[in-house]
Amino acid sequence: KPAPHQGPRQSMGEALHEALRERGFHLLYWGFFVCGFHIALLTVHLPSYVVDNGLKPEHGMMALALIGLCNMIGSFGAGWLGGRFSKKYLLSSIYAARAVLIFILVWFPLTPATLYFFACGIGLLWLGTVPLTNGLVGQIFGMRYAATLAAIVFFGHQIGSFIGVWLAGWLFDHTGSYNGAFYISIGLGIFAAIVNLPVRETAIA
């Protein structure tokens, strides 16, 4: 029995053209850019930052381990919440919470307790953006080309990762401190929290 007619089928080019004309697609791209900036910067430079501030290398190692552990909980939890609440508001909350945690890391005296609190908090938010962002892409543009469109958005994540690692190293070489990179991270977290708010979550006809 033939399948019922479901309207015209888009080509890949038509789907891409439609996505590029949708403001939300670009906003999600820049939000993911910030996500990549945060994650790569912390993964590469957090251990050195910890040592520069008087803690031991094993404290930095434990912080990364806690981030990985809590990420398992946070990623699953974000996906579960995304199926029940507004994904764009959850994304905005994640980026805003990251900004707050990085502020705590920079402004409060760095002790093992402060570091581990930061690591657990940032770990819960670490890759929670992935199920929410990919879910929004599929929700807005449909599932036929969702993987390709999500991959284009994820390209912003990779660019952000490169810039985050490079910029933090460059600033450290020129200033002797990672604080400038973390201040930029705070500002970008606020930026990402704002740009996700205008995303229209309804499906495009």
Side-chain angles (χ1 to χ4, degrees):
K1 180 180 178 180
H5 178 66
Q6 296 179 341
R9 296 169 68 94
Q10 278 185 315
S11 67
M12 172 65 74
E14 290 169 338
L16 181 59
H17 181 65
E18 178 182 67
L20 291 176
R21 289 184 301 167
E22 175 64 25
R23 180 178 63 167
F25 188 75
H26 298 273
L27 297 177
L28 290 172
Y29 178 94
W30 288 110
F32 238 4
F33 170 92
V34 174
C35 181
F37 187 100
H38 285 163
I39 286 176
L41 183 154
L42 290 168
T43 301
V44 173
H45 295 290
L46 181 62
S48 297
Y49 175 80
V50 167
V51 173
D52 287 346
N53 281 272
L55 297 184
K56 298 178 181 179
E58 49 264 38
H59 292 132
M61 175 275 296
M62 180 58 71
L64 291 180
L66 287 172
I67 288 173
L69 177 65
C70 293
N71 175 54
M72 293 189 290
I73 302 170
S75 297
F76 178 82
W80 183 84
L81 290 170
R84 290 157 178 80
F85 303 100
S86 166
K87 296 179 182 64
K88 71 174 184 179
Y89 290 132
L90 289 170
L91 275 174
S92 181
S93 298
I94 285 175
Y95 289 121
R98 284 186 183 182
V100 171
L101 286 169
I102 296 172
F103 176 84
I104 291 173
L105 179 70
V106 175
W107 280 95
F108 283 69
L110 190 62
T111 65
T114 304
L115 177 64
Y116 296 156
F117 172 81
F118 167 82
C120 291
I122 208 75
L124 290 173
L125 309 171
W126 195 247
L127 290 179
T129 58
V130 175
L132 297 174
T133 302
N134 291 346
L136 273 175
V137 170
Q139 183 174 311
I140 296 169
F141 301 103
M143 296 306 298
R144 179 169 174 79
Y145 297 112
T148 301
L149 296 178
I152 295 172
V153 172
F154 188 72
F155 184 61
H157 190 281
Q158 302 306 87
I159 294 175
S161 298
F162 166 78
I163 294 177
V165 172
W166 171 81
L167 183 60
W170 185 88
L171 287 172
F172 182 84
D173 287 342
H174 286 78
T175 67
S177 171
Y178 284 112
N179 284 348
F182 284 122
Y183 294 147
I184 292 172
S185 295
I186 293 169
L188 286 175
I190 296 170
F191 166 78
I194 294 172
V195 299
N196 275 278
L197 294 177
V199 173
R200 186 179 62 179
E201 295 186 286
T202 55
I204 294 179

